[in-house]
Amino acid sequence: MKQGLAAYSRARFRIEVKLEGVVATYREIQPSARLRRYVECYWWQSQEETADQLVLPDGCVDILFSRSGLEPLGLATVGLMTTPLIVPAAPARTYFGVRFRPGMASAFIPGAELLKDETRPLDDLMGGAARRMLERLAELDSLEEMGAQMDRLLRPLDPPDIGERVLRQLGSAEVSAGSSARSSLDEVISQSGLSVRHFRRLCLERAGVSPKYLSRILRFRKAVQKIAAVRGAAHSSLTQAGWADFAVACGYYDQAHFIREFQEFAGCTPGRFLQSRKRGDHAV
């Protein structure tokens, strides 16, 4: 499993930390309006040097095209992650990715919801369609060209349904200061008009994890993004008391709850993560 993820390292640069020096260029563009309910972005990474990287869970599934020089290396599906992963350094490569919104990859890729902490060649799941996709991408050079190609190639397997609506609501739910992820999830379920059991079944079918677990990953992702946005003097404000306020603002019950969950998904404490960014050991 880890070998597969290392072989098809994805660049989640908004929540990715460098463990050693690396020079990389990262860009994102939006998909066409037709696909924005399903696809968060198309992204491109050009890595000029090699370094180990810590990749963190973000609730998403990616299609990943990789290339070494002018030689295509393959097209893979990177499943939803539940644990942090250190990806070993590899020869300088370029990557193009399709980052699906939480639970939306299964609308295009049969069995994508089953790839928890796993990477598989896309043709294992899509057959000839994946091979044709690889051939088209191998002919292109820029993020814009590849994005336009994916706009043409990506077609949902079925029309939008209640499952797609449920996952979209869950993925866009915001946790306000003073509230909890549990209360936010309860509100989403209530607004959906579905029973708790029905809602849970749809989430498992589309995302591969329960609504509660997916909400935990998404809350963690937002917390990491908030930490990543901390600049200058704000670093020193995150003292013991500052972390307590930060935890509540991110939807955690208290600081202990925040640290416990952060360590589960990041493999380190929030303070250590912040210090790594302060030293410059990060990429955004």
Side-chain angles (χ1 to χ4, degrees), residues 140-176:
L140 305 175
D141 297 317
S142 71
L143 171 62
E144 288 74 17
E145 290 175 328
M146 292 184 181
Q149 183 64 251
M150 296 306 294
D151 278 344
R152 292 188 287 269
L153 293 176
L154 288 175
R155 300 285 172 179
L157 300 174
D158 298 297
D161 60 6
I162 190 170
E164 180 267 338
R165 176 172 61 84
V166 161
L167 267 296
R168 185 154 42 86
Q169 289 175 329
L170 187 58
S172 62
E174 291 288 340
V175 178
S176 58

Side-chain angles (χ1 to χ4, degrees), residues 63-75:
I63 289 176
L64 180 68
F65 170 70
S66 54
R67 174 185 279 157
S68 179
L70 299 176
E71 183 67 25
L73 298 177
L75 194 61

Side-chain angles (χ1 to χ4, degrees), residues 20-256:
E20 300 174 14
V22 62
V23 179
T25 300
Y26 176 77
R27 294 178 55 217
E28 291 181 1
I29 60 172
Q30 291 294 302
S32 65
R34 176 180 66 85
L35 291 173
R36 285 177 192 169
R37 65 197 303 164
Y38 302 102
V39 175
E40 184 175 302
C41 67
Y42 301 131
W43 57 264
W44 170 276
Q45 176 195 348
S46 176
Q47 189 169 304
E48 299 173 11
E49 299 179 14
T50 59
D52 290 351
Q53 296 179 357
L54 173 64
V55 184
L56 304 178
D58 63 3
C60 299
V61 171
D62 286 38
I63 289 176
L64 180 68
F65 170 70
S66 54
R67 174 185 279 157
S68 179
L70 299 176
E71 183 67 25
L73 298 177
L75 194 61
T77 310
V78 185
L80 180 145
M81 292 174 56
T82 65
T83 59
L85 178 74
I86 295 177
V87 179
R93 293 176 180 174
T94 56
Y95 301 94
F96 167 77
V98 179
R99 182 175 302 142
F100 291 99
R101 297 187 185 279
M104 297 301 176
S106 57
F108 300 83
I109 307 172
E113 73 282 359
L114 302 176
L115 300 181
K116 188 167 64 175
D117 292 317
E118 185 180 354
T119 297
R120 294 270 299 279
L122 188 60
D123 61 9
D124 283 0
L125 304 173
M126 296 182 64
R131 291 188 287 274
R132 289 190 293 273
M133 188 181 296
L134 175 60
E135 291 172 359
R136 302 280 180 83
L137 292 175
E139 296 172 351
L140 305 175
D141 297 317
S142 71
L143 171 62
E144 288 74 17
E145 290 175 328
M146 292 184 181
Q149 183 64 251
M150 296 306 294
D151 278 344
R152 292 188 287 269
L153 293 176
L154 288 175
R155 300 285 172 179
L157 300 174
D158 298 297
D161 60 6
I162 190 170
E164 180 267 338
R165 176 172 61 84
V166 161
L167 267 296
R168 185 154 42 86
Q169 289 175 329
L170 187 58
S172 62
E174 291 288 340
V175 178
S176 58
S179 68
S180 67
R182 175 74 262 178
S183 63
S184 177
L185 178 58
D186 288 342
E187 184 177 346
V188 171
I189 295 175
S190 176
Q191 291 175 350
S192 73
L194 304 176
S195 67
V196 173
R197 179 177 295 180
H198 191 186
F199 191 99
R200 185 176 190 278
R201 178 175 61 80
L202 287 173
C203 189
L204 284 168
E205 289 176 351
R206 305 302 172 90
V209 294
S210 70
K212 181 178 180 180
Y213 197 89
L214 182 58
S215 293
R216 289 177 59 210
I217 294 176
L218 297 179
R219 177 176 59 187
F220 163 77
R221 179 184 184 181
K222 291 174 182 178
V224 171
Q225 290 171 339
K226 286 180 180 291
I227 294 175
V230 173
R231 294 289 186 272
H235 278 277
S236 59
S237 70
L238 286 177
T239 59
Q240 188 78 0
W243 279 120
D245 293 339
F246 186 92
V248 173
C250 290
Y252 294 91
Y253 295 115
D254 53 31
Q255 184 176 350

